[in-house]
Amino acid sequence: MASDGTSHKPSSSRNQQQQLVSTMIKQGFISDPFLSPSRLNSLSPPPNFRALSSPSLFEMMSIEQAREPKPSSEAHKKLRDRVSGVLSQAPFQISNQWGIGDVRLTVVARPESGERETGAFRVSMDVHRRVLAAKSRFFAEKLRRSGPHSVEILECDDVAAYVEAVVLMYSDELKTKLMGMEVSKILTLLKISSAIVFDDGIRACLEYLEAVPWSEEEEETVVSHLNQLQLDDSGTDAVLQRVIAEPSTSSRADEIFLKLSLGVLQAKDDKARREMKALIFRLLREDCDNNTFQNKLDISRDTLYHLCHRCLSSLILCLSGASCLDESERDRGTIMGEIAREADNTQWIVSILIDRKMGDEFVKLWADQRELAVLHSKIPTIYRHEISKITAQLCISIGRGEVLVPKETRFALLSTWLEALYDDFKWMRMSGKSLDRKLVEEGLSRTILTLPLPQQQSLLLKWFDRFLNRGDDCPNIQTAFEIWWKRAFVKQYVVDSQLQITVCDIPN
């Protein structure tokens, strides 16, 4: 379109304004993986932008922004809706008390790979210098001079959260505004508040985190975020007190475990006792699994073996009572229940010892229980078979290499308790699903095969005779028998035990 000379000045003035826009200083934050990982690449013009009667610096910025490509992906549409929802309730958008904004604040999303910075999602707001400077030490520093300002926050991972943080600066009831938000969103707002030094926002977020319940996943996230932020605020300590024990408390773990364990061993309700045993064992197992070389939970060997001796004393007392009384004088179910209960208690403590790599001492302790073994032989199998499960438990652990003891201790264990295990095996199998026959047979076989060959022969020949007469009522360890046979009569290894040393002179 043709133009006369009178239009050159306004055009020249507009060009100067455009150059001014292009050379404006941009204020930005470096993105942080702490915030939402979403990356958005679309453009959104500022909602409810207030048009002025004549072209202004702010108008020209809006026009320049409007020329950018429009958002197309579903993610961009959702983000635009989120931002629009936040701005629709913003005090500076719906109230006249603030007047016309004197700061054009633009928040720009991090561009995706291969995307031009100008193609990223952005939103602009006309906000007020007096509010930003009063609430944020960052903005107070950047907006020291009077007059209109333009500030851009670049490469944001969560544009909507930045917008919401700005909106919160206009509120005097931050606690009310945050109520109902998810913990992840509060952490995002906390990070942004920290970045722009919005002290009231930091305080409100910390108070919220201190009061609201967390899920297990949220707990780890909260601790990780607060550790990385390193805020100089007592509110952080108040939040972390929920998950960080005082040294005086953690040092009492051994004492607390002993108290809990004694309560479990003496529990009157069998169902509750089983549930609490499973719970404590699972918690201790997690401690072992998460700390291969060192357990965080400091439970001493002395405490565990104190519990072991208590269980063994109770077993001796129960068997002594059962062997001295006629069956008619006492209810059969009561006798069986007491012995089974103490045997189960012992198995539980032994499981903990094995899990914490402290089971070696108990193998010797159990091998030395000759008084208990004699009492065991004097009462009917129906009463005593649960005790033999302790021997089976130890053989399984030795066969797996979970407990390492000298060959003398291994042989003493089998010498004291193997015959009892054979006698009780039928009832052990019939007592329920708690016994895995193949697991017991494999553990017993491997334990026998760790012994010197003469001891293997002695034990396996006795088993051979018993198995022929008892069949399925005896553990089937013929695999061990076959390996022993091959070792003794087929392979017959010969090892030259003389060490030969050759000495020679090296010429100079």
Side-chain angles (χ1 to χ4, degrees):
M1 178 181 294
S3 60
D4 56 22
T6 58
S7 64
H8 290 170
K9 286 186 178 181
S11 176
S12 175
S13 175
R14 182 169 299 179
N15 289 337
Q16 290 176 357
Q17 288 180 325
Q18 289 175 340
Q19 291 177 0
L20 178 61
V21 171
S22 64
T23 57
M24 292 183 65
I25 298 176
K26 298 180 179 181
Q27 305 291 343
F29 298 126
I30 300 300
S31 65
D32 193 308
F34 229 90
L35 304 180
S36 172
S38 57
R39 292 183 176 181
L40 308 168
N41 60 359
S42 62
L43 170 70
S44 176
N48 301 326
F49 178 69
R50 182 183 180 90
L52 303 178
S53 58
S54 60
S56 68
L57 185 61
F58 289 163
E59 265 194 304
M60 295 191 66
M61 291 177 66
S62 178
I63 294 171
E64 184 175 316
Q65 176 180 302
R67 292 179 183 146
E68 299 297 335
K70 297 296 186 286
S72 57
S73 70
E74 187 66 26
H76 295 107
K77 292 177 182 177
K78 290 181 179 180
L79 178 58
R80 185 197 302 173
D81 292 341
R82 281 182 60 200
V83 171
S84 297
V86 174
L87 287 177
S88 67
Q89 302 298 321
F92 53 81
Q93 294 282 90
I94 61 177
S95 174
N96 294 325
Q97 73 177 92
W98 301 101
I100 299 175
D102 53 359
V103 176
R104 168 55 63 95
L105 179 61
T106 302
V107 183
V108 185
R110 174 192 290 275
E112 291 184 350
S113 179
E115 181 183 52
R116 294 184 303 121
E117 180 181 301
T118 54
F121 182 95
R122 62 175 58 209
V123 60
S124 296
M125 302 169 281
D126 290 330
V127 291
H128 303 84
R129 173 181 173 274
R130 65 183 186 276
V131 174
L132 269 59
K135 293 300 180 79
S136 163
R137 282 182 278 158
F138 171 83
F139 284 116
E141 173 67 21
K142 300 301 179 183
L143 305 176
R144 284 179 294 180
R145 64 176 179 82
S146 61
H149 292 74
S150 177
V151 179
E152 285 190 357
I153 303 177
L154 303 177
E155 296 189 355
C156 298
D157 288 321
D158 194 335
V159 172
Y162 267 95
V163 174
E164 190 154 5
V166 173
V167 172
L168 288 174
M169 292 184 189
Y170 284 79
S171 175
D172 294 327
E173 299 292 337
L174 291 182
K175 186 176 181 179
T176 303
K177 295 292 184 182
L178 297 180
M179 288 182 65
M181 291 187 182
E182 295 181 356
V183 170
S184 58
K185 186 173 183 180
I186 295 296
L187 290 172
T188 301
L189 289 172
L190 177 61
K191 177 62 179 179
I192 295 169
S193 298
S194 175
I196 60 178
V197 202
F198 176 23
D199 292 328
D200 289 346
I202 294 172
R203 191 176 303 108
C205 289
L206 290 175
E207 289 176 356
Y208 183 96
L209 292 173
E210 191 279 327
V212 73
W214 307 333
S215 68
E216 190 170 354
E217 294 77 12
E218 288 171 341
E219 175 180 309
E220 295 181 1
T221 305
V222 169
V223 175
S224 174
H225 279 45
L226 293 183
N227 283 338
Q228 292 186 42
L229 281 176
Q230 296 182 342
L231 298 171
D232 295 330
D233 196 308
S234 59
T236 303
D237 295 334
V239 174
L240 293 179
Q241 282 178 358
R242 186 183 301 187
V243 295
I244 298 178
E246 296 293 334
S248 58
T249 302
S250 60
S251 63
R252 294 175 53 226
D254 196 51
E255 177 185 340
I256 293 173
F257 170 77
L258 178 60
K259 182 178 180 180
L260 294 175
S261 298
L262 289 174
V264 168
L265 298 179
Q266 299 167 358
K268 296 180 180 180
D269 188 293
D270 286 340
K271 182 175 181 294
R273 181 172 59 92
R274 289 192 298 269
E275 289 181 0
M276 290 303 99
K277 279 183 177 180
L279 173 62
I280 293 175
F281 184 79
R282 186 172 68 251
L283 294 174
L284 296 178
R285 167 66 64 84
E286 289 176 358
D287 179 52
C288 292
D289 290 345
N290 294 333
N291 302 276
T292 305
F293 300 104
Q294 183 178 3
N295 303 131
K296 286 184 178 178
L297 193 58
D298 185 19
I299 297 176
S300 69
R301 178 184 289 260
D302 290 343
T303 295
L304 290 169
Y305 277 98
H306 169 76
L307 295 171
C308 283
H309 284 285
R310 181 195 177 283
C311 290
L312 293 178
S313 298
S314 297
L315 270 177
I316 292 174
L317 186 62
C318 288
L319 292 185
S320 297
S323 63
C324 294
L325 293 175
D326 294 333
E327 191 171 324
S328 59
E329 295 183 35
R330 243 179 131 184
D331 179 64
R332 172 186 292 186
T334 301
I335 298 173
M336 291 174 58
E338 289 178 357
I339 296 174
R341 173 194 180 96
E342 295 304 329
D344 183 67
N345 285 343
T346 305
Q347 291 176 57
W348 180 60
I349 299 297
V350 171
S351 297
I352 295 174
L353 284 169
I354 293 171
D355 255 23
R356 302 185 80 80
K357 300 177 176 57
M358 300 178 184
D360 52 337
E361 187 177 331
F362 184 82
V363 178
K364 187 176 187 309
L365 182 63
W366 188 244
D368 291 340
Q369 295 301 309
R370 294 179 181 85
E371 178 187 358
L372 185 60
V374 170
L375 290 171
H376 180 276
S377 65
K378 292 180 179 181
I379 62 175
T381 306
I382 189 174
Y383 299 154
R384 72 190 192 196
H385 65 272
E386 291 289 342
I387 296 175
S388 289
K389 290 183 179 180
I390 300 171
T391 305
Q393 180 184 21
L394 295 177
C395 288
I396 290 170
S397 298
I398 293 172
R400 288 174 169 173
E402 296 172 341
V403 177
L404 304 178
V405 291
K407 59 180 179 293
E408 294 80 11
T409 303
R410 300 195 298 273
F411 186 67
L413 170 69
L414 297 177
S415 298
T416 304
W417 289 107
L418 187 56
E419 290 296 322
L421 176 61
Y422 289 159
D423 291 338
D424 295 345
F425 192 72
K426 176 182 177 180
W427 281 97
M428 289 167 63
R429 290 193 299 110
M430 295 171 56
S431 64
K433 297 181 179 179
S434 60
L435 180 78
D436 187 328
R437 174 173 183 160
K438 291 188 179 299
L439 203 59
V440 173
E441 292 171 343
E442 182 180 359
L444 182 57
S445 297
R446 290 184 173 183
T447 300
I448 292 174
L449 292 172
T450 64
L451 298 172
L453 206 57
Q455 293 176 350
Q456 295 178 38
Q457 177 176 314
S458 172
L459 294 172
L460 288 169
L461 288 179
K462 289 180 181 179
W463 165 83
F464 188 83
D465 291 338
R466 179 179 285 269
F467 186 74
L468 289 175
N469 295 313
R470 301 284 296 272
D472 283 345
D473 291 344
C474 180
N476 188 341
I477 56 174
Q478 58 181 293
T479 300
F481 185 89
E482 183 178 353
I483 294 173
W484 159 75
W485 180 274
K486 292 178 179 179
R487 288 174 175 177
F489 305 113
V490 179
K491 297 180 180 179
Q492 294 188 345
Y493 296 106
V494 176
V495 179
D496 186 0
S497 60
Q498 294 183 354
L499 180 63
Q500 297 181 0
I501 301 176
T502 301
V503 180
C504 62
D505 295 330
I506 300 176
N508 294 329

